[in-house]
Amino acid sequence: MRAEVLSCLLASATITGSAAVTPDLDHDFQQVVRPFIVKYCSGCHSGKSAAAQLDLKAYTDLNSVARDYPRWALVSQRLSAREMPPKPLPPPPANDAGRVIAWIQAVRAEQIRRFDGDPGVVPARRLSNAEYNYTIRDLTGYDMQITREFPLDPANPAGFDNSGESLTMSPALLNKYLQAAREIANHLVFLPDNIDFAPHPMLAESDRDKWAIQRIVNFYLRQPVKYADYFRAAWRYKYRAALGKPRATLAAIASEANVSPKYLETVWRVLNERGAIGPVLKLETMWRNLPGPASKQRQTLDAKCLEMQEFVMRIRAHTAMQFAAPKVKGLPPASQPLLNWKNREFASHRRESDPQALRNDTDPPPVLPEIPKYARLHQEAAPRWAALMARARAGDPDLVVPAAERKRYEAAFARFASVFPDRFYVSERGRYFPDDSEDPARLLSAGYHNVMGYFRDDTPLMELILDENGKREIDRLWNEFDYVASFTARTWTQFYFNQSGEVQGKGAESGTPRPRDHEITDSEVIVAMRDAYLAKAAADPANDPVAPRAIREHFDGINATLQALEKQRKEAEPKQLDALLRFAARAYRRPLTAAEREDLLSFYTTLRTRNQLSHEDAMRETVVSILMSPDFLYRMDLQSTSSPEPAAVRPVSMKSSAAFASRPLSGYELASRLSYFLWSSMPDDELMQRAAAGDLVKRDVLLAETRRMLEDPRVRGLAAEFSGNWLGFRQFENINTVDRERFPSFTNDLREAMFQEPVRFIEDAVSNNRSVLDLLYGNYTFVNPILARHYGIPGIEGGAEKWVRVDNANRYGRGGLLPMAVFMTQNSPGLRTSPVKRGNWVVTRLLGEVIPPPPPTVPELPADESKSELPVRDMLARHRENAMCAACHSRIDSFGLPFEGYGPVGNIRTKDLAGRPVDTVVIYPGGETLDGLAGLQTFIREHRQKQFVANISRKLLAYALNRSLQLSDEPLVERMEARAAANGYRFNSLIESIVTSPQFLTRRISDAQPEPESHLRRAKL
Amino acid sequence: MKRSSTNSISRRAVLRGAGCTVALPWLESLARADAPPSSGFPKRFGVVFLGNGINEDHWSAEGQGGAMKLSKTLSPLEPLKQKINVIDGLYVKALTGQGIHPGQTGSLLSGAHITKGAVVHSGVSVDQMIANHIGDETPQSSIVLACEQPMTGYHETNFSMVYSSHISWQSPDSPVPVEVYPSFAWDSLFDNRGSLLNISILDRVKDRAQELTRRISSTDKSRLDEFLTSVREVERRVDRMRESKAAADDAAKAKNTAAAFMERPANGLPEDLRDHARLMCDIIAIAFQTDKTRVASLIISRDLSAMYYPFLDVKEGHHAASHNNASDGYERIARFHVSQFAYLASKLDGMKEGGGTVLDNTCLMFLSNMWIGRKHDNSRLPLVLAGGLGGAIETGRTLNYLNDGEDNRKMCSLYLSLMDRFGLKVEQFGDSRTRLERL
């Protein structure tokens, strides 16, 4: 299968040049090229101060030329254009120059022929900082941006910081890795059958509580518990035929409406009950009177459903059962065992109606009770609550029932309550719940005083709404809460030391001394405390007879929970170790060998035995060791693993005559290569599954995966890292050249927005497979409200995270990459614009021209344009009068001057800082005169577009391959260009050309690694 | 080499503090382990906390130097008169007028506004600010100890009891977990646990790299060599650090200089608070002397303390006793705390360092979260500083700011002054932008 893939790839490769004349290149270099150089070039181009830093004398043989071919291509170009040697030096005879040019071209052809499809030498490379961040994000689920304090990664000659050439290691960096690994390990969460990560460290108890509580509260908030939604869904079912879905089932409608199918059925039944009375009848009547689909009042449906909901909630609020803590002489009502009983009573009676809530129509009007003061510390809150309730009930006419039919009505209210609980769940409580104070919520709180405590109250949700999966999930979340945060044990301990003194008559805020022979959490201690409370309950015959039960349930519950958790902890260890091994495999981006599994486990065991670490500490240390392992930190291709894919190491020569040996990447290697190319991050599960199944190397699977990945949000990794490097703005977030006194609008938020604009633009282009030419001519861009303000684009409101696409951006002088503020700002030296820097950026970064560096003696332009006598434009014109300068500046300046309408922070302007009108009319090479941004776009479209496409192809390829390009990549670049042109310049066409290329799919077999020069030498024909 | 001062919290701070986890040294610090500090002796900072205030009838100090008159509660400090400053009248405005106890405690060392309800939010405390700043220079950036277990429920004011149980905050969202077990605190400091763990990690990584070397190409080998060299270099630094520390400890022992030596405390919690507090003080003293850390905080009793004092013949628990301002029992409890503070200060003063003592290079702070318990009055706080901080603080004084006006009696101004003296320049801290006058 693999062979088939390869042959198909090879078929698509055009091999050129081999038929051409291949002279004895080395011989010719000595006999023809060098003498020419000595005679015509090295007068300027040699030695330490060589012109344009090009020392042509340094090239002593063919190989030195081949290695540095791009500069020789430039030599060839300049000779062909007769630009060199410059006037007034005498030109060389055309024939001599022609032979040199032909020789340079022959070198290229020969290199290509010998190394076509060469994956090149790509050494093992550590993750770049960006890759490290993204990988940690995908490994842990949280974007910790942990490399913020790491040293900056250098870039390779191709300008990318993801290359094997540039990513080196140092002790300082290793140290940072160690710190980062420890920090990440502190986020570990230990679950009964797994390990996970939290968005924050999980060492402090309050952090563990926070994490676990949030998960439960979020679960509750996700549940469909709004009655109105069910009434609306029932309505849709009732009118399914009229609504065009005659066959829809109740369940189908429930799923469409995002409500519980189980509960919708319950609600449907009660709404259509026959012979109803009381609240059921009233609700039914409201239901029957809902407007039909054809009714003119249809738009009132939502409001009517809300009215129904309000009716249900009012009735249920007024008929809710009420409870007080059992009275025990000498114990405050807020005593934990008693208060907890009250909590349990509430929780277990939410689907019942209080018969005392109803009044007979023959009764005299009720007497309104006084409302007692808010309960003080340790007092019972129930009397106040009861008085409030009595007043509320008194005002509710729906609670008045015919005296003669009292029983029937009570049954109707009970039926109503069984379907409509007073609450589905309680996610927050105040002190001594129920609590009518306005205090901010205590999530999941039991309502204790001072001592922590949590209470689960969600029976109606479990019974009415949740399906089996939902029930299991919420059970699991509550169990994990206790497992992670040990709240039962901590509550018990805090109670013991701070409140249990009450049972000895020492007062409600006193504890019991530490037991001598036991841990606080030992059964004996809990049982002894229970018995002390039981004795208290038995001490006075006037005590509530339910008190002993309340006390038993409370303490026995604690005891049972603690024992169950302890058992669970023991059972969890092997499961967590399994999870640790799975984590390691994900971190290493490949399956572990048996030896590697063994090795990790033995490391863990040593930590427990020799270093005496607890299970959790030893697990954390092992995670640190995984994150410090070269398997994680480095992207490297192993030559021989005892492992899963023996076939992967089979050498496959691409071509019998090839000057190098290579082999196809294994599935896992390919998965990593793809994911680091397209996401700057590790492969996801699906990619790993493909790798494991062995079919990732199939062309159709590979392409399908590539497309899937390009549509994934993680493709922002490519957008940010590729374009940030290519276009040179990856450090823009640290730029400090802007004078903020003069440009107060340049805030950190604006700077961040400027940085984001090209990333968003390119992300959009990649994930929507747009034309790469949109980068140049796209009449749209992306802004957030901050950038919109800077650009003068009206009507964009919201926070910094709100990014929107702006069409017809030309109205605002924007559209495409060229006028983006980030580039305008970055290429301005502060208090003036720099047409040179801006032009140079366009010519070199976007169009890929090679411009030699300026000579060291170049005159400085004034720093502040408001203080200079001439506009920048005129100073540059003067500069170009010097022929030495003109050679380059005539190629640069016309690409920067069109931007004079943009100020030093990319702001639109008509006058420069000195108040002089700006002039954006430009004479281009070749004499064409065009104005501003539109003119520049026109010029590029007509004269430079091909260069742009070739350049982005090259850059993308170098980025994908993690290395600088070599001559043998040229045919691939040409294929990319051709394929792009044939496919509307779609991004995918470039990316697909890359991922299906032999360069991408294979790697060198190093031991057969050729020294390129030795092969060239043998290439004499 | 030193990182410039920061107002924001170092992300690394999350690892700091004794806490219940393994404490690990930052290797950056190890790079400097073999070089002595550039000038003078290290400066240390320690806080000792007493919850629930003092008996105001017996808390006062007058006069300067040897002539200083100390009241009954302060009497344990009598031998240290020349080395302390008794300060009256400072307070934390953010902790007033929002309810008693946790609302009076949650940002005692930061002056931040704290939030009620489900979300715990305070500010980075002054000790952790200093630890973040100088913590890189010692194996452990700080130790955060307590003799009383934290309580983490809700007070009736709806502030979390987390605020009552912690004084050291490593980030606004998280207090530093307190270590209540003397044995664990000792292990983290003196067992070289951190270094040993780093070495075991590095060893493992080294083995792994060597094993990989056999399976990769020659080009890749050079890359892994580079990795290995880095691992070895870092390992060498850890080792050197351990050795130099061990040598220093031995030398101190040999010279019989108030030996930097302490038996490992027994596992478990001491039953008697007197033993517990003393062990914690010993650990801090020796950690300071041997430069294991330069920042410590110790809660002897937390706010709303439920501790009992049978050995002081007080029948009620601490909190209940505090509701009787004028009671002798309440006074005895406060005096017990002061005596622990005096014990720690004396211990440091017995440790020679150059021409002076470790105390002379330290600033110890004793404070409570309120003035008197009955009224829960925190419009002034009981406060004593001990130690000259390497000559940076003049001692032997009583300083009274009570009548200097609100702006001139902020605890946060004191914190700014202290941070200054640790070379940490912060423009604003809590509610203050000015330094404390006369300090």
Side-chain angles (χ1 to χ4, degrees):
Chain A
M1 205 161 291
R2 182 166 293 124
E4 189 186 301
V5 176
L6 287 172
S7 61
C8 130
L9 290 170
L10 284 176
S12 69
T14 333
I15 296 158
T16 50
S18 56
V21 194
T22 316
D24 186 333
L25 292 171
D26 210 12
H27 176 263
D28 284 1
F29 179 74
Q30 304 303 342
Q31 298 304 312
V32 178
V33 180
R34 253 182 96 75
F36 181 92
I37 295 294
V38 170
K39 192 164 178 189
Y40 298 105
C41 311
S42 57
C44 296
H45 292 289
S46 72
K48 278 201 178 117
S49 49
Q53 294 175 24
L54 176 64
D55 180 359
L56 286 173
K57 258 191 161 168
Y59 301 90
T60 52
D61 58 10
L62 169 60
N63 302 310
S64 56
V65 174
R67 273 198 303 269
D68 199 12
Y69 188 82
R71 310 194 81 175
W72 281 81
L74 197 64
V75 170
S76 156
Q77 213 181 76
R78 289 304 186 87
L79 284 176
S80 311
R82 295 176 172 276
E83 288 171 0
M84 283 287 156
K87 285 166 195 163
L89 295 175
N95 201 26
D96 289 4
R99 286 178 69 188
V100 173
I101 293 167
W103 181 85
I104 295 172
Q105 280 161 358
V107 169
R108 178 176 189 273
E110 176 62 9
Q111 283 283 17
I112 289 172
R113 193 185 69 79
R114 298 292 301 174
F115 288 94
D116 184 35
D118 177 15
V121 178
V122 184
R125 57 219 175 270
R126 67 168 172 83
L127 301 180
S128 71
N129 290 347
E131 289 169 340
Y132 186 93
N133 274 336
Y134 292 122
T135 304
I136 292 297
R137 177 199 64 193
D138 293 340
L139 202 51
T140 65
Y142 296 101
D143 191 3
M144 304 186 193
Q145 290 293 318
I146 218 155
T147 64
R148 273 172 303 180
E149 290 178 16
F150 282 23
L152 200 65
D153 287 331
N156 71 352
F160 294 105
D161 63 9
N162 67 348
S163 78
E165 298 134 286
S166 56
L167 290 169
T168 54
M169 182 63 77
S170 67
L173 182 61
L174 191 92
N175 228 343
K176 294 284 185 192
Y177 279 132
L178 187 53
Q179 292 171 18
R182 290 211 179 285
E183 190 174 329
I184 294 160
N186 283 345
H187 289 235
L188 257 187
V189 181
F190 296 90
L191 298 171
D193 54 0
N194 207 349
I195 55 173
D196 198 357
F197 290 86
H200 48 73
M202 285 288 278
L203 301 183
E205 286 174 342
S206 50
D207 285 329
R208 293 175 181 228
D209 285 353
K210 179 168 72 186
W211 181 82
I213 288 172
Q214 210 52 59
R215 290 192 333 157
I216 293 174
V217 171
N218 288 345
F219 176 91
Y220 286 149
L221 294 177
R222 278 201 307 273
Q223 302 314 314
V225 294
K226 290 204 181 79
Y227 292 130
D229 295 342
Y230 288 89
F231 301 142
R232 205 165 31 238
W235 179 89
R236 277 160 73 179
Y237 181 64
K238 181 178 177 183
Y239 294 111
R240 59 193 180 277
L243 292 167
K245 292 182 176 173
R247 296 245 197 89
T249 60
L250 207 49
I253 291 205
S255 102
E256 226 178 73
N258 278 322
V259 297
S260 154
K262 177 168 122 183
Y263 190 53
L264 180 56
E265 213 177 302
T266 311
V267 170
W268 173 257
R269 237 180 292 125
V270 82
L271 288 177
N272 296 287
E273 218 155 65
R274 256 181 260 163
I277 56 164
V280 185
L281 175 63
K282 183 146 186 184
L283 185 68
E284 245 185 67
T285 311
M286 293 170 90
W287 155 249
R288 272 198 308 273
N289 290 337
L290 287 178
S295 157
K296 278 181 190 152
Q297 269 83 48
R298 179 167 169 184
Q299 73 279 9
T300 64
L301 176 68
D302 284 355
K304 297 272 182 199
C305 288
L306 273 178
E307 272 173 35
M308 288 172 72
Q309 169 172 299
E310 278 158 22
F311 170 73
V312 171
M313 289 175 69
R314 169 165 56 83
I315 295 296
R316 287 303 293 122
H318 293 166
T319 57
M321 300 281 282
Q322 296 188 85
F323 302 93
K327 284 195 176 108
V328 174
K329 193 179 170 203
L331 289 181
S335 170
Q336 273 195 26
L338 308 179
L339 176 56
N340 238 359
W341 171 265
K342 181 163 80 171
N343 282 341
R344 289 202 297 283
E345 290 286 276
F346 273 106
S348 55
H349 291 88
R350 300 206 170 280
R351 294 176 63 195
E352 289 170 34
S353 176
D354 186 353
Q356 294 172 35
L358 307 185
R359 291 194 316 279
N360 291 342
D361 51 2
T362 53
D363 288 351
V367 182
L368 297 186
E370 285 295 307
I371 297 175
K373 277 193 181 152
Y374 190 76
R376 296 186 51 207
L377 272 186
H378 315 301
Q379 289 180 344
E380 177 58 85
R384 175 180 164 88
W385 187 248
L388 289 167
M389 180 69 104
R391 282 173 166 261
R393 286 172 176 174
D396 189 340
D398 288 318
L399 301 181
V400 179
V401 300
E405 291 183 277
R406 171 90 185 197
K407 281 293 159 210
R408 268 188 76 210
Y409 272 84
E410 278 182 13
F413 272 91
R415 164 81 179 123
F416 191 75
S418 77
V419 174
F420 302 111
D422 64 329
R423 306 276 302 263
F424 279 101
Y425 60 84
V426 177
S427 60
E428 36 190 84
R429 286 191 188 84
R431 179 157 60 94
Y432 306 159
F433 169 78
D435 178 354
D436 59 318
S437 77
E438 296 293 317
D439 271 343
R442 308 169 182 187
L443 299 176
L444 307 183
S445 165
Y448 300 154
H449 169 60
N450 286 2
V451 168
M452 67 175 284
Y454 299 99
F455 188 84
R456 178 174 175 183
D457 183 347
D458 58 11
T459 310
L461 184 73
M462 297 283 281
E463 291 176 350
L464 294 170
I465 304 265
L466 296 180
D467 59 12
E468 291 310 310
N469 284 337
K471 286 186 209 173
R472 262 197 302 277
E473 189 181 347
I474 188 64
D475 281 344
R476 180 174 61 79
L477 291 176
W478 270 96
N479 169 244
E480 288 177 357
F481 177 17
D482 213 352
Y483 183 91
V484 166
S486 300
F487 73 77
T488 301
R490 285 162 56 218
T491 298
W492 161 245
T493 308
Q494 292 185 18
F495 166 77
Y496 186 94
F497 284 124
N498 296 285
Q499 286 178 345
S500 64
E502 65 187 10
V503 80
Q504 314 293 347
K506 292 197 288 187
E509 292 195 23
S510 62
T512 305
R514 181 174 297 282
R516 291 190 180 270
D517 317 319
H518 289 288
E519 291 291 325
I520 307 287
T521 47
D522 285 354
S523 277
E524 290 87 342
V525 178
I526 299 169
V527 168
M529 187 63 77
R530 179 196 69 189
D531 293 345
Y533 273 83
L534 285 173
K536 192 90 178 171
D540 191 322
N543 287 345
D544 190 327
V546 84
R549 202 179 124 203
I551 290 166
R552 275 184 196 284
E553 283 184 16
H554 180 74
F555 289 100
D556 293 352
I558 293 171
N559 204 358
T561 304
L562 292 185
Q563 284 178 19
L565 279 170
E566 199 186 321
K567 181 159 169 279
Q568 200 175 18
R569 273 181 220 290
K570 286 214 184 80
E571 290 167 356
E573 290 189 9
K575 296 180 203 163
Q576 290 170 350
L577 279 171
D578 279 348
L580 185 71
L581 295 175
R582 290 197 297 275
F583 172 79
R586 290 178 61 227
Y588 294 176
R589 308 174 280 272
R590 59 176 174 76
L592 303 185
T593 64
E596 284 167 343
R597 298 167 65 90
E598 213 38 58
D599 184 45
L600 274 173
L601 291 176
S602 87
F603 183 67
Y604 161 87
T605 311
T606 311
L607 289 169
R608 294 217 56 184
T609 52
R610 205 183 61 199
N611 297 63
Q612 301 262 299
L613 296 192
S614 68
H615 167 70
E616 293 194 358
D617 280 340
M619 291 277 288
R620 271 191 214 99
E621 284 299 297
T622 313
V623 165
V624 172
S625 88
I626 290 168
L627 296 177
M628 286 301 289
S629 171
D631 307 80
F632 168 72
L633 291 173
Y634 280 77
R635 290 173 57 199
M636 64 186 135
D637 304 311
L638 298 179
Q639 298 238 294
S640 59
T641 15
S642 48
S643 72
E645 274 187 293
V649 298
R650 183 166 41 99
V652 174
S653 213
M654 302 295 296
K655 203 161 62 156
S656 59
S657 65
F660 59 93
S662 65
R663 64 166 175 85
L665 297 180
S666 76
Y668 293 109
E669 288 167 344
L670 183 54
S672 277
R673 192 155 223 200
L674 262 184
S675 70
Y676 281 97
F677 173 32
L678 301 178
W679 291 343
S680 284
S681 184
M682 58 185 275
D684 65 354
D685 288 347
E686 174 164 347
L687 209 47
M688 290 303 270
Q689 278 158 18
R690 287 297 186 187
D695 56 5
L696 189 56
V697 289
K698 285 193 215 157
R699 186 186 168 94
D700 56 340
V701 175
L702 177 65
L703 288 176
E705 280 300 298
T706 301
R707 280 176 207 131
R708 176 182 74 84
M709 294 174 73
L710 288 172
E711 284 163 16
D712 187 284
R714 278 170 285 196
V715 86
R716 183 171 296 176
L718 173 68
E721 302 314 316
F722 167 67
S723 59
N725 278 285
W726 168 40
L727 301 173
F729 66 96
R730 72 181 175 128
Q731 284 310 309
F732 187 74
E733 283 158 306
N734 302 323
I735 194 167
N736 55 13
T737 51
V738 176
D739 184 335
R740 295 199 183 197
E741 304 245 314
R742 293 278 283 276
F743 299 100
S745 65
F746 191 81
T747 59
N748 285 356
D749 287 344
L750 178 61
R751 184 176 64 186
E752 175 62 25
M754 287 181 177
F755 174 81
Q756 288 281 333
E757 187 187 8
V759 176
R760 302 264 169 178
F761 191 97
I762 291 177
E763 181 190 359
D764 168 81
V766 173
S767 50
N768 294 302
N769 194 18
R770 300 192 199 287
S771 163
V772 297
L773 300 181
D774 279 9
L775 272 50
L776 295 175
Y777 321 128
N779 188 5
Y780 60 91
T781 191
F782 293 83
V783 296
N784 68 359
I786 297 160
L787 192 59
R789 211 171 310 132
H790 187 60
Y791 284 174
I793 300 175
I796 293 170
E797 308 295 331
E801 278 312 298
K802 195 186 163 200
W803 282 85
V804 294
R805 180 179 154 129
V806 176
D807 285 309
N808 292 320
N810 290 171
R811 285 177 291 169
Y812 310 104
R814 308 292 161 180
L817 295 177
L818 287 166
M820 285 188 183
V822 58
F823 305 121
M824 296 295 102
T825 306
Q826 173 164 288
N827 293 313
S828 297
L831 293 177
R832 62 171 171 85
T833 59
S834 172
V836 177
K837 287 178 84 176
R838 288 171 173 182
N840 190 54
W841 179 83
V842 172
V843 169
T844 58
R845 295 277 183 171
L846 273 183
L847 306 178
E849 275 189 42
V850 181
I851 303 276
T857 53
V858 71
E860 279 286 324
L861 292 174
D864 186 342
E865 71 184 18
S866 69
K867 300 194 175 106
S868 71
E869 283 169 27
L870 285 174
V872 174
R873 181 187 173 91
D874 296 354
M875 288 187 283
L876 281 174
R878 204 179 268 182
H879 198 54
R880 282 193 302 273
E881 283 165 16
N882 180 338
M884 289 292 282
C885 304
C888 292
H889 278 274
S890 60
R891 296 164 60 201
I892 298 172
D893 295 358
S894 17
F895 293 86
L897 288 168
F899 295 116
E900 279 300 276
Y902 301 87
V905 291
N907 48 311
I908 296 279
R909 64 176 191 176
T910 51
K911 288 180 175 152
D912 72 8
L913 291 178
R916 293 172 291 243
V918 292
D919 181 356
T920 56
V921 177
V922 175
I923 304 170
Y924 282 92
E928 226 169 319
T929 304
L930 296 161
D931 186 14
L933 174 65
L936 175 60
Q937 286 168 329
T938 303
F939 184 81
I940 293 178
R941 196 194 298 272
E942 284 167 9
H943 304 283
R944 295 284 193 273
Q945 183 167 302
K946 190 171 161 41
Q947 268 174 276
F948 169 77
V949 175
N951 185 44
I952 191 173
S953 301
R954 275 200 182 86
K955 293 296 177 184
L956 200 55
L957 182 61
Y959 178 80
L961 297 177
N962 306 115
R963 62 165 169 81
S964 303
L965 295 192
Q966 51 196 43
L967 268 178
S968 56
D969 296 322
E970 284 304 305
L972 174 55
V973 173
E974 283 159 17
R975 283 201 301 278
M976 288 172 72
E977 288 178 60
R979 196 164 159 200
N983 287 283
Y985 296 101
R986 301 285 148 194
F987 251 104
N988 282 10
S989 67
L990 293 179
I991 287 167
E992 286 171 10
S993 298
I994 292 174
V995 301
T996 53
S997 71
Q999 278 93 328
F1000 193 81
L1001 292 167
T1002 64
R1003 70 173 262 110
R1004 284 255 192 121
I1005 294 170
S1006 59
D1007 293 335
Q1009 205 179 94
E1011 287 290 301
E1013 44 249 80
S1014 63
H1015 283 269
L1016 269 183
R1017 197 155 281 144
R1018 275 190 273 124
K1020 292 179 188 174
L1021 291 175
Chain B
M1 197 93 185
K2 197 175 285 182
R3 281 175 302 119
S4 60
S5 65
T6 49
N7 289 332
S8 61
I9 332 115
S10 158
R11 285 173 303 113
R12 290 184 275 157
V14 292
L15 279 176
R16 292 195 168 126
C20 48
T21 54
V22 181
L24 293 151
W26 289 105
L27 291 180
E28 260 174 349
S29 61
L30 307 186
R32 297 190 290 269
D34 28 13
S38 51
S39 67
F41 294 96
K43 290 179 178 173
R44 293 90 161 184
F45 181 61
V47 185
V48 175
F49 178 80
L50 148 75
N52 306 313
I54 45 91
N55 178 329
E56 63 178 335
D57 297 341
H58 299 286
W59 183 283
S60 68
E62 281 167 25
Q64 315 294 326
M68 191 189 293
K69 271 190 167 161
L70 295 173
S71 65
K72 189 165 159 192
T73 306
L74 290 169
S75 62
L77 291 164
E78 190 68 31
L80 289 157
K81 275 200 288 200
Q82 306 278 9
K83 297 206 171 179
I84 60 170
N85 291 313
V86 182
I87 301 177
D88 193 5
L90 301 189
Y91 82 128
V92 179
K93 184 157 193 200
L95 293 178
T96 59
Q98 58 181 9
I100 58 175
H101 290 300
Q104 296 180 298
T105 319
S107 60
L108 198 58
L109 295 183
S110 69
H113 285 281
I114 61 175
T115 48
K116 282 188 181 186
V119 180
V120 165
H121 193 89
S122 176
V124 181
S125 54
V126 62
D127 60 316
Q128 294 302 302
M129 292 287 290
I130 293 171
N132 288 343
H133 183 62
I134 62 170
D136 280 353
E137 313 203 359
T138 49
Q140 198 162 308
S141 65
S142 71
I143 46 173
V144 174
L145 309 176
C147 296
E148 190 173 10
Q149 294 272 16
M151 185 139 77
T152 54
Y154 286 94
H155 186 253
E156 71 258 29
T157 51
N158 218 33
F159 281 111
S160 169
M161 287 295 294
V162 167
Y163 296 124
S164 282
S165 306
H166 301 273
I167 56 171
S168 295
W169 290 72
Q170 62 200 357
S171 82
D173 303 315
S174 283
V176 184
V178 289
E179 180 58 75
V180 293
Y181 286 85
S183 51
F184 292 160
W186 190 92
D187 287 346
S188 74
L189 283 165
F190 303 110
D191 199 17
N192 276 320
R193 246 175 133 190
S195 307
L196 287 175
L197 285 176
N198 275 335
I199 284 181
S200 67
I201 294 273
L202 294 168
D203 271 346
R204 198 193 119 66
V205 164
K206 207 166 57 180
D207 289 350
R208 182 70 197 141
Q210 270 154 355
E211 193 193 314
L212 282 172
T213 309
R214 290 192 281 277
R215 285 164 54 187
I216 55 178
S217 69
S218 50
T219 334
D220 287 0
K221 260 181 205 119
S222 66
R223 281 303 149 96
L224 272 196
D225 282 348
E226 190 182 81
F227 178 76
L228 268 168
T229 310
S230 299
V231 173
R232 284 198 197 97
E233 174 58 24
V234 171
E235 200 173 32
R236 209 166 52 80
R237 292 179 202 179
V238 179
D239 256 341
R240 215 161 49 200
M241 170 97 177
R242 275 173 71 212
E243 281 161 17
S244 70
K245 283 293 160 195
D249 293 354
D250 287 349
K253 247 189 281 181
K255 278 190 228 151
N256 205 13
T257 55
F261 177 77
M262 177 182 176
E263 291 286 349
R264 181 181 186 274
N267 281 329
L269 288 176
E271 251 172 56
D272 191 318
L273 176 61
R274 286 170 295 187
D275 298 337
H276 198 172
R278 190 148 290 208
L279 278 174
M280 292 308 211
C281 289
D282 286 343
I283 288 170
I284 293 173
I286 292 166
F288 277 4
Q289 185 186 28
T290 56
D291 210 20
K292 299 283 188 195
T293 188
R294 295 177 191 170
V295 177
S297 77
L298 169 62
I299 291 175
I300 296 180
S301 61
R302 58 168 158 73
D303 172 51
L304 270 172
S305 171
M307 220 118 63
Y308 279 85
Y309 300 85
F311 56 89
L312 297 177
D313 198 24
V314 184
K315 289 215 177 61
E316 305 145 294
H318 187 154
H319 175 221
S322 77
H323 281 182
N324 191 351
N325 284 339
S327 75
D328 282 348
Y330 185 39
E331 191 279 327
R332 284 198 292 276
I333 292 172
R335 180 143 45 91
F336 166 74
H337 285 74
V338 173
S339 71
Q340 298 308 305
F341 181 70
Y343 171 77
L344 172 57
S346 305
K347 182 137 191 164
L348 292 176
D349 206 32
M351 295 169 161
K352 295 276 168 279
E353 194 164 70
T357 69
V358 173
L359 181 64
D360 296 335
N361 295 314
T362 300
C363 173
L364 288 183
M365 176 191 285
F366 178 91
L367 89 165
S368 187
N369 57 334
M370 57 187 86
W371 179 246
I372 46 174
R374 174 86 198 143
K375 285 196 270 177
H376 299 100
D377 170 15
N378 64 346
S379 65
R380 64 204 272 208
L381 297 173
L383 174 67
V384 181
L385 299 185
L389 198 59
I393 300 175
E394 189 194 329
T395 55
R397 297 181 293 162
T398 53
L399 297 165
N400 194 331
Y401 297 90
L402 201 55
N403 300 316
D404 287 9
E406 274 198 18
D407 287 347
N408 300 311
R409 53 186 208 93
K410 296 175 177 172
M411 281 300 284
C412 289
S413 302
L414 170 64
Y415 300 150
L416 281 171
S417 299
L418 291 175
M419 287 190 278
D420 279 354
R421 287 157 167 84
F422 280 92
L424 172 57
K425 299 286 175 202
V426 176
E427 207 176 294
Q428 177 170 7
F429 192 65
D431 59 354
S432 178
R433 294 176 156 275
T434 54
R435 274 59 184 166
L436 189 66
E437 301 268 329
R438 292 183 276 148
L439 187 74

